[in-house]
Amino acid sequence: MQLSEFRILKVLAEELNMRKASERLYVSQPALSQRLQTIESNWGTIIFIRSQKGLNLTPSGEKILAFVTEVLQKEELVKEELQSLSEHVHGTLKLAVASIIGQYWLPHVLKEYVNLYPHVNISLITGWSSEIIKHLYEDKIHLGIVRGNPEWRGSKEHILSDHLYLVDTTISSLDELSDTTKPFIQFRSHSTYYQEIQDWWHTHFKTTPQKTIVVDQIETCKQMALNGIGYAILPSISLRPEDDFYKIPLTDKKGNAIKRDTWLIHHGTGSELKQVNAFMDLILKLTNE
């Protein structure tokens, strides 16, 4: 079987829908259906069961797809190794970063990186730190950037620490929280971040907030606070000098600022690739400035 047929099976398995797969492969549905029949004929088995709802892998299809995935991964590794021998930095840089890092910190880093190395392709995943660590364990990425204190046994380098602030358009001191009727606006985040906020709150107040609003994105949380809907606790990485609200730093019982750490994690072997090593060098340079 040709590698092109492997890629067809991979896309079909990812989409489980002939129309979506044909769009990704830039072929018509009838042509894709005919190609799939030929592939199945070559294997001598049915790989996908067709239905009105889409496609489903057969048990035989699952085994074939496991083989196909392994071959394509090996092909990519060989290509990367060949590219690393070149004088120029190119290839694919596979990153997974915490969502807040992807939104507020990474864009200016990637801008500088692509200006320096225009021949490198960027593959980027954003999500929670636990998901990023899983991607690394499964060798789906070269580098991960996570928040908090990651349970990672491989290599890791500290990138930055940012302070936590309570922000609001009218509340200018923590003492005012006891009497306010404003809601506490929170964004969904990794459990460790949520726990840090809960621990801080209970060390300062005997009761829970009177009202709460939970949103799915930190930027939504910030914009609601900026518009006076309620108060929020945000990391300094998400704040800008022009943000028109009070910013009250959070401290622990001893008066120390509460911070959130950001780490670069990897296996250590990825730095053998020029595009990976170049990105790590750039981060080191920017964090030391």
Side-chain angles (χ1 to χ4, degrees), residues 193-204:
Y193 181 84
Y194 177 80
Q195 191 58 50
E196 286 179 23
I197 301 302
Q198 295 302 308
D199 292 344
W200 173 83
W201 183 275
H202 291 301
T203 60
H204 288 76

mmCIF file with all atom_site columns, all heavy atoms in Angstrom, residues 193-204:
data_model
loop_
_atom_site.group_PDB
_atom_site.id
_atom_site.type_symbol
_atom_site.label_atom_id
_atom_site.label_alt_id
_atom_site.label_comp_id
_atom_site.label_asym_id
_atom_site.label_entity_id
_atom_site.label_seq_id
_atom_site.pdbx_PDB_ins_code
_atom_site.Cartn_x
_atom_site.Cartn_y
_atom_site.Cartn_z
_atom_site.occupancy
_atom_site.B_iso_or_equiv
_atom_site.pdbx_formal_charge
_atom_site.auth_seq_id
_atom_site.auth_comp_id
_atom_site.auth_asym_id
_atom_site.auth_atom_id
_atom_site.pdbx_PDB_model_num
ATOM 1   N N   . TYR A 1 193 ? -5.269  25.527 39.892 1.00 0.00 ? 193 TYR A N   1
ATOM 2   C CA  . TYR A 1 193 ? -5.463  26.979 39.918 1.00 0.00 ? 193 TYR A CA  1
ATOM 3   C C   . TYR A 1 193 ? -6.720  27.315 40.714 1.00 0.00 ? 193 TYR A C   1
ATOM 4   O O   . TYR A 1 193 ? -6.714  28.212 41.562 1.00 0.00 ? 193 TYR A O   1
ATOM 5   C CB  . TYR A 1 193 ? -5.589  27.509 38.495 1.00 0.00 ? 193 TYR A CB  1
ATOM 6   C CG  . TYR A 1 193 ? -5.778  29.006 38.416 1.00 0.00 ? 193 TYR A CG  1
ATOM 7   C CD1 . TYR A 1 193 ? -4.688  29.867 38.449 1.00 0.00 ? 193 TYR A CD1 1
ATOM 8   C CD2 . TYR A 1 193 ? -7.046  29.565 38.306 1.00 0.00 ? 193 TYR A CD2 1
ATOM 9   C CE1 . TYR A 1 193 ? -4.862  31.240 38.383 1.00 0.00 ? 193 TYR A CE1 1
ATOM 10  C CE2 . TYR A 1 193 ? -7.231  30.931 38.243 1.00 0.00 ? 193 TYR A CE2 1
ATOM 11  C CZ  . TYR A 1 193 ? -6.131  31.763 38.279 1.00 0.00 ? 193 TYR A CZ  1
ATOM 12  O OH  . TYR A 1 193 ? -6.319  33.124 38.218 1.00 0.00 ? 193 TYR A OH  1
ATOM 13  N N   . TYR A 1 194 ? -7.780  26.575 40.454 1.00 0.00 ? 194 TYR A N   1
ATOM 14  C CA  . TYR A 1 194 ? -9.039  26.793 41.178 1.00 0.00 ? 194 TYR A CA  1
ATOM 15  C C   . TYR A 1 194 ? -8.827  26.606 42.678 1.00 0.00 ? 194 TYR A C   1
ATOM 16  O O   . TYR A 1 194 ? -9.317  27.393 43.492 1.00 0.00 ? 194 TYR A O   1
ATOM 17  C CB  . TYR A 1 194 ? -10.103 25.830 40.661 1.00 0.00 ? 194 TYR A CB  1
ATOM 18  C CG  . TYR A 1 194 ? -11.431 25.916 41.382 1.00 0.00 ? 194 TYR A CG  1
ATOM 19  C CD1 . TYR A 1 194 ? -12.346 26.924 41.077 1.00 0.00 ? 194 TYR A CD1 1
ATOM 20  C CD2 . TYR A 1 194 ? -11.758 25.003 42.380 1.00 0.00 ? 194 TYR A CD2 1
ATOM 21  C CE1 . TYR A 1 194 ? -13.558 27.020 41.750 1.00 0.00 ? 194 TYR A CE1 1
ATOM 22  C CE2 . TYR A 1 194 ? -12.966 25.092 43.058 1.00 0.00 ? 194 TYR A CE2 1
ATOM 23  C CZ  . TYR A 1 194 ? -13.858 26.095 42.735 1.00 0.00 ? 194 TYR A CZ  1
ATOM 24  O OH  . TYR A 1 194 ? -15.048 26.197 43.408 1.00 0.00 ? 194 TYR A OH  1
ATOM 25  N N   . GLN A 1 195 ? -8.067  25.588 43.053 1.00 0.00 ? 195 GLN A N   1
ATOM 26  C CA  . GLN A 1 195 ? -7.824  25.312 44.464 1.00 0.00 ? 195 GLN A CA  1
ATOM 27  C C   . GLN A 1 195 ? -7.008  26.420 45.108 1.00 0.00 ? 195 GLN A C   1
ATOM 28  O O   . GLN A 1 195 ? -7.235  26.787 46.266 1.00 0.00 ? 195 GLN A O   1
ATOM 29  C CB  . GLN A 1 195 ? -7.100  23.973 44.624 1.00 0.00 ? 195 GLN A CB  1
ATOM 30  C CG  . GLN A 1 195 ? -7.033  23.475 46.074 1.00 0.00 ? 195 GLN A CG  1
ATOM 31  C CD  . GLN A 1 195 ? -8.421  23.311 46.691 1.00 0.00 ? 195 GLN A CD  1
ATOM 32  O OE1 . GLN A 1 195 ? -9.292  22.683 46.098 1.00 0.00 ? 195 GLN A OE1 1
ATOM 33  N NE2 . GLN A 1 195 ? -8.616  23.897 47.862 1.00 0.00 ? 195 GLN A NE2 1
ATOM 34  N N   . GLU A 1 196 ? -6.047  26.975 44.389 1.00 0.00 ? 196 GLU A N   1
ATOM 35  C CA  . GLU A 1 196 ? -5.249  28.087 44.920 1.00 0.00 ? 196 GLU A CA  1
ATOM 36  C C   . GLU A 1 196 ? -6.145  29.284 45.258 1.00 0.00 ? 196 GLU A C   1
ATOM 37  O O   . GLU A 1 196 ? -5.963  29.921 46.301 1.00 0.00 ? 196 GLU A O   1
ATOM 38  C CB  . GLU A 1 196 ? -4.201  28.507 43.896 1.00 0.00 ? 196 GLU A CB  1
ATOM 39  C CG  . GLU A 1 196 ? -3.034  27.549 43.767 1.00 0.00 ? 196 GLU A CG  1
ATOM 40  C CD  . GLU A 1 196 ? -2.040  28.000 42.718 1.00 0.00 ? 196 GLU A CD  1
ATOM 41  O OE1 . GLU A 1 196 ? -2.002  29.212 42.423 1.00 0.00 ? 196 GLU A OE1 1
ATOM 42  O OE2 . GLU A 1 196 ? -1.307  27.148 42.182 1.00 0.00 ? 196 GLU A OE2 1
ATOM 43  N N   . ILE A 1 197 ? -7.101  29.565 44.376 1.00 0.00 ? 197 ILE A N   1
ATOM 44  C CA  . ILE A 1 197 ? -8.022  30.688 44.613 1.00 0.00 ? 197 ILE A CA  1
ATOM 45  C C   . ILE A 1 197 ? -8.907  30.402 45.821 1.00 0.00 ? 197 ILE A C   1
ATOM 46  O O   . ILE A 1 197 ? -9.142  31.275 46.671 1.00 0.00 ? 197 ILE A O   1
ATOM 47  C CB  . ILE A 1 197 ? -8.886  30.955 43.361 1.00 0.00 ? 197 ILE A CB  1
ATOM 48  C CG1 . ILE A 1 197 ? -8.007  31.282 42.150 1.00 0.00 ? 197 ILE A CG1 1
ATOM 49  C CG2 . ILE A 1 197 ? -9.877  32.084 43.630 1.00 0.00 ? 197 ILE A CG2 1
ATOM 50  C CD1 . ILE A 1 197 ? -7.103  32.458 42.331 1.00 0.00 ? 197 ILE A CD1 1
ATOM 51  N N   . GLN A 1 198 ? -9.407  29.164 45.913 1.00 0.00 ? 198 GLN A N   1
ATOM 52  C CA  . GLN A 1 198 ? -10.262 28.799 47.052 1.00 0.00 ? 198 GLN A CA  1
ATOM 53  C C   . GLN A 1 198 ? -9.500  28.910 48.366 1.00 0.00 ? 198 GLN A C   1
ATOM 54  O O   . GLN A 1 198 ? -10.024 29.409 49.371 1.00 0.00 ? 198 GLN A O   1
ATOM 55  C CB  . GLN A 1 198 ? -10.784 27.370 46.859 1.00 0.00 ? 198 GLN A CB  1
ATOM 56  C CG  . GLN A 1 198 ? -11.701 27.190 45.658 1.00 0.00 ? 198 GLN A CG  1
ATOM 57  C CD  . GLN A 1 198 ? -12.910 28.086 45.697 1.00 0.00 ? 198 GLN A CD  1
ATOM 58  O OE1 . GLN A 1 198 ? -13.638 28.124 46.691 1.00 0.00 ? 198 GLN A OE1 1
ATOM 59  N NE2 . GLN A 1 198 ? -13.134 28.842 44.625 1.00 0.00 ? 198 GLN A NE2 1
ATOM 60  N N   . ASP A 1 199 ? -8.247  28.437 48.359 1.00 0.00 ? 199 ASP A N   1
ATOM 61  C CA  . ASP A 1 199 ? -7.435  28.507 49.582 1.00 0.00 ? 199 ASP A CA  1
ATOM 62  C C   . ASP A 1 199 ? -7.203  29.950 49.998 1.00 0.00 ? 199 ASP A C   1
ATOM 63  O O   . ASP A 1 199 ? -7.281  30.290 51.195 1.00 0.00 ? 199 ASP A O   1
ATOM 64  C CB  . ASP A 1 199 ? -6.092  27.804 49.359 1.00 0.00 ? 199 ASP A CB  1
ATOM 65  C CG  . ASP A 1 199 ? -6.245  26.307 49.189 1.00 0.00 ? 199 ASP A CG  1
ATOM 66  O OD1 . ASP A 1 199 ? -7.316  25.775 49.537 1.00 0.00 ? 199 ASP A OD1 1
ATOM 67  O OD2 . ASP A 1 199 ? -5.293  25.665 48.700 1.00 0.00 ? 199 ASP A OD2 1
ATOM 68  N N   . TRP A 1 200 ? -6.899  30.805 49.011 1.00 0.00 ? 200 TRP A N   1
ATOM 69  C CA  . TRP A 1 200 ? -6.688  32.220 49.324 1.00 0.00 ? 200 TRP A CA  1
ATOM 70  C C   . TRP A 1 200 ? -7.948  32.836 49.912 1.00 0.00 ? 200 TRP A C   1
ATOM 71  O O   . TRP A 1 200 ? -7.883  33.566 50.913 1.00 0.00 ? 200 TRP A O   1
ATOM 72  C CB  . TRP A 1 200 ? -6.281  32.992 48.071 1.00 0.00 ? 200 TRP A CB  1
ATOM 73  C CG  . TRP A 1 200 ? -6.228  34.475 48.318 1.00 0.00 ? 200 TRP A CG  1
ATOM 74  C CD1 . TRP A 1 200 ? -5.194  35.180 48.857 1.00 0.00 ? 200 TRP A CD1 1
ATOM 75  C CD2 . TRP A 1 200 ? -7.274  35.419 48.076 1.00 0.00 ? 200 TRP A CD2 1
ATOM 76  N NE1 . TRP A 1 200 ? -5.527  36.508 48.973 1.00 0.00 ? 200 TRP A NE1 1
ATOM 77  C CE2 . TRP A 1 200 ? -6.798  36.689 48.503 1.00 0.00 ? 200 TRP A CE2 1
ATOM 78  C CE3 . TRP A 1 200 ? -8.562  35.321 47.562 1.00 0.00 ? 200 TRP A CE3 1
ATOM 79  C CZ2 . TRP A 1 200 ? -7.578  37.836 48.405 1.00 0.00 ? 200 TRP A CZ2 1
ATOM 80  C CZ3 . TRP A 1 200 ? -9.335  36.474 47.462 1.00 0.00 ? 200 TRP A CZ3 1
ATOM 81  C CH2 . TRP A 1 200 ? -8.844  37.709 47.886 1.00 0.00 ? 200 TRP A CH2 1
ATOM 82  N N   . TRP A 1 201 ? -9.097  32.565 49.298 1.00 0.00 ? 201 TRP A N   1
ATOM 83  C CA  . TRP A 1 201 ? -10.349 33.161 49.745 1.00 0.00 ? 201 TRP A CA  1
ATOM 84  C C   . TRP A 1 201 ? -10.643 32.770 51.199 1.00 0.00 ? 201 TRP A C   1
ATOM 85  O O   . TRP A 1 201 ? -10.963 33.631 52.032 1.00 0.00 ? 201 TRP A O   1
ATOM 86  C CB  . TRP A 1 201 ? -11.498 32.713 48.845 1.00 0.00 ? 201 TRP A CB  1
ATOM 87  C CG  . TRP A 1 201 ? -12.807 33.366 49.217 1.00 0.00 ? 201 TRP A CG  1
ATOM 88  C CD1 . TRP A 1 201 ? -13.694 32.961 50.168 1.00 0.00 ? 201 TRP A CD1 1
ATOM 89  C CD2 . TRP A 1 201 ? -13.343 34.577 48.679 1.00 0.00 ? 201 TRP A CD2 1
ATOM 90  N NE1 . TRP A 1 201 ? -14.748 33.830 50.256 1.00 0.00 ? 201 TRP A NE1 1
ATOM 91  C CE2 . TRP A 1 201 ? -14.560 34.830 49.350 1.00 0.00 ? 201 TRP A CE2 1
ATOM 92  C CE3 . TRP A 1 201 ? -12.914 35.455 47.688 1.00 0.00 ? 201 TRP A CE3 1
ATOM 93  C CZ2 . TRP A 1 201 ? -15.350 35.934 49.061 1.00 0.00 ? 201 TRP A CZ2 1
ATOM 94  C CZ3 . TRP A 1 201 ? -13.711 36.565 47.394 1.00 0.00 ? 201 TRP A CZ3 1
ATOM 95  C CH2 . TRP A 1 201 ? -14.913 36.796 48.078 1.00 0.00 ? 201 TRP A CH2 1
ATOM 96  N N   . HIS A 1 202 ? -10.492 31.480 51.515 1.00 0.00 ? 202 HIS A N   1
ATOM 97  C CA  . HIS A 1 202 ? -10.857 31.013 52.855 1.00 0.00 ? 202 HIS A CA  1
ATOM 98  C C   . HIS A 1 202 ? -9.885  31.480 53.933 1.00 0.00 ? 202 HIS A C   1
ATOM 99  O O   . HIS A 1 202 ? -10.225 31.460 55.119 1.00 0.00 ? 202 HIS A O   1
ATOM 100 C CB  . HIS A 1 202 ? -10.977 29.488 52.857 1.00 0.00 ? 202 HIS A CB  1
ATOM 101 C CG  . HIS A 1 202 ? -12.154 28.990 52.069 1.00 0.00 ? 202 HIS A CG  1
ATOM 102 N ND1 . HIS A 1 202 ? -13.451 29.353 52.365 1.00 0.00 ? 202 HIS A ND1 1
ATOM 103 C CD2 . HIS A 1 202 ? -12.229 28.166 50.990 1.00 0.00 ? 202 HIS A CD2 1
ATOM 104 C CE1 . HIS A 1 202 ? -14.282 28.782 51.498 1.00 0.00 ? 202 HIS A CE1 1
ATOM 105 N NE2 . HIS A 1 202 ? -13.568 28.057 50.660 1.00 0.00 ? 202 HIS A NE2 1
ATOM 106 N N   . THR A 1 203 ? -8.680  31.876 53.536 1.00 0.00 ? 203 THR A N   1
ATOM 107 C CA  . THR A 1 203 ? -7.757  32.440 54.528 1.00 0.00 ? 203 THR A CA  1
ATOM 108 C C   . THR A 1 203 ? -8.076  33.899 54.840 1.00 0.00 ? 203 THR A C   1
ATOM 109 O O   . THR A 1 203 ? -7.628  34.430 55.862 1.00 0.00 ? 203 THR A O   1
ATOM 110 C CB  . THR A 1 203 ? -6.291  32.363 54.048 1.00 0.00 ? 203 THR A CB  1
ATOM 111 O OG1 . THR A 1 203 ? -6.148  33.093 52.825 1.00 0.00 ? 203 THR A OG1 1
ATOM 112 C CG2 . THR A 1 203 ? -5.871  30.917 53.857 1.00 0.00 ? 203 THR A CG2 1
ATOM 113 N N   . HIS A 1 204 ? -8.866  34.546 53.989 1.00 0.00 ? 204 HIS A N   1
ATOM 114 C CA  . HIS A 1 204 ? -9.183  35.965 54.177 1.00 0.00 ? 204 HIS A CA  1
ATOM 115 C C   . HIS A 1 204 ? -10.636 36.218 54.586 1.00 0.00 ? 204 HIS A C   1
ATOM 116 O O   . HIS A 1 204 ? -10.943 37.252 55.190 1.00 0.00 ? 204 HIS A O   1
ATOM 117 C CB  . HIS A 1 204 ? -8.886  36.750 52.894 1.00 0.00 ? 204 HIS A CB  1
ATOM 118 C CG  . HIS A 1 204 ? -7.426  36.926 52.613 1.00 0.00 ? 204 HIS A CG  1
ATOM 119 N ND1 . HIS A 1 204 ? -6.638  35.910 52.129 1.00 0.00 ? 204 HIS A ND1 1
ATOM 120 C CD2 . HIS A 1 204 ? -6.596  38.009 52.774 1.00 0.00 ? 204 HIS A CD2 1
ATOM 121 C CE1 . HIS A 1 204 ? -5.398  36.360 51.981 1.00 0.00 ? 204 HIS A CE1 1
ATOM 122 N NE2 . HIS A 1 204 ? -5.344  37.616 52.371 1.00 0.00 ? 204 HIS A NE2 1
#
